[in-house]
Amino acid sequence: YIPRFDNMGNFKFDVIPETGGTAEHTIKEADVINFSFSRTKIEQVYSKIVFKYNWDYARGEFNDSVSAEIDDLIETGTGKYEYEYYGFTEPHEIDETHGGYIHPDSTLVIDDDRGKYIRDEDTAQKFVTWYLLWSCQQKLKLKIKLGLKYMNLEIGDIVDFDAILGGVKPYGIDYRNDSRVNGQVFYHSFLISSTNKALNFIEIECIQMHDLIGTEAI
């Protein structure tokens, strides 16, 4: 969920769709004043996540932990997660502490306040699975300057595009169509993550949506 206040001051929750969602607005290339693109940081890409939960207030530490590895979530006959795509070391040593394999370059251990509010193992496992699917790839980000006809766009809205902006596919990604990047389905929809509204234009930042279910959707 994305908690926020809308332009009328109402508190809202927006949801990150598991299968890309349905675009509420189509941005036309002819209406784009300026744009740029980038990717999320490579330092934020993980292939294994360990999540500690069930906080013991008396001992001051977590009682339990669960983990998820990307090979368990993305591996089918038509798509497989390739560690060398990001320059990661292929895991081969058994992880005696957390189970599974050791991912030396791409493991995230979550041991902060998020785990203090979870007591149930199934809930913890669902969280770590979702978070790993969200964090296992670099995601395409677009920053776009538009005219006032798009002033109604808000954070959390889903948008798509009628053409590849500037005719150049960023990082070789055709975001007009659903595609597969490193074993994972990327959709042609984008979620708006920020807006900047002025008297004569609006700027939005949006991030490409991808599969957050795993092998069931591939």
Side-chain angles (χ1 to χ4, degrees):
Y1 293 98
I2 304 173
R4 67 178 182 89
F5 290 95
D6 65 13
N7 59 349
M8 299 299 293
N10 301 312
F11 185 72
K12 296 181 62 177
F13 280 106
D14 291 309
V15 179
I16 298 175
E18 291 182 326
T19 55
T22 301
E24 302 159 295
H25 310 275
T26 296
I27 295 176
K28 297 182 179 180
E29 182 183 25
D31 297 329
V32 175
I33 299 171
N34 197 6
F35 75 94
S36 61
F37 58 80
S38 62
R39 269 179 157 177
T40 53
K41 296 179 180 179
I42 184 67
E43 293 84 5
Q44 297 174 339
V45 176
Y46 306 103
S47 60
K48 179 176 182 176
I49 295 180
V50 177
F51 177 54
K52 297 184 179 182
Y53 71 101
N54 193 11
W55 179 257
D56 189 318
Y57 287 90
R59 295 166 53 225
E61 59 184 53
F62 292 100
N63 287 328
D64 302 294
S65 68
V66 292
S67 64
E69 298 183 53
I70 200 61
D71 281 341
D72 297 331
L73 305 177
I74 301 179
E75 186 172 10
T76 69
T78 56
K80 184 179 185 299
Y81 190 87
E82 300 292 346
Y83 295 91
E84 58 266 28
Y85 185 86
Y86 294 113
F88 295 154
T89 301
E90 186 91 19
H92 60 277
E93 295 184 23
I94 298 297
D95 188 342
E96 301 288 352
T97 303
H98 302 114
Y101 291 89
I102 295 174
H103 296 234
D105 306 321
S106 50
T107 297
L108 171 66
V109 178
I110 301 176
D111 57 356
D112 55 25
D113 287 345
R114 285 171 286 185
K116 292 183 178 181
Y117 304 99
I118 294 178
R119 301 287 180 181
D120 178 70
E121 182 179 359
D122 288 341
T123 302
Q125 191 64 59
K126 288 180 180 179
F127 170 78
V128 75
T129 298
W130 181 91
Y131 201 86
L132 180 57
L133 285 169
W134 176 258
S135 306
C136 67
Q137 310 278 11
Q138 283 185 291
K139 293 176 283 296
L140 177 63
K141 298 168 65 178
L142 297 175
K143 186 173 183 178
I144 307 165
K145 187 176 182 180
L146 298 160
L148 294 180
K149 65 181 291 187
Y150 293 92
M151 188 60 71
N152 61 327
L153 294 180
E154 291 285 343
I155 293 172
D157 286 353
I158 302 293
V159 300
D160 60 9
F161 299 85
D162 72 336
I164 300 294
L165 301 182
V168 178
K169 298 177 182 178
Y171 311 101
I173 299 172
D174 180 2
Y175 54 82
R176 279 282 296 116
N177 301 289
D178 295 348
S179 59
R180 189 183 297 274
V181 177
N182 196 23
Q184 193 171 27
V185 175
F186 276 68
Y187 300 106
H188 65 278
S189 54
F190 287 71
L191 182 141
I192 296 178
S193 57
S194 70
T195 62
N196 176 30
K197 298 182 179 181
L199 293 176
N200 55 349
F201 68 87
I202 174 177
E203 285 183 334
I204 66 167
E205 291 189 23
C206 54
I207 188 167
Q208 189 175 16
M209 293 289 93
H210 61 277
D211 169 50
L212 297 175
I213 297 178
T215 53
E216 296 179 13
I218 296 178

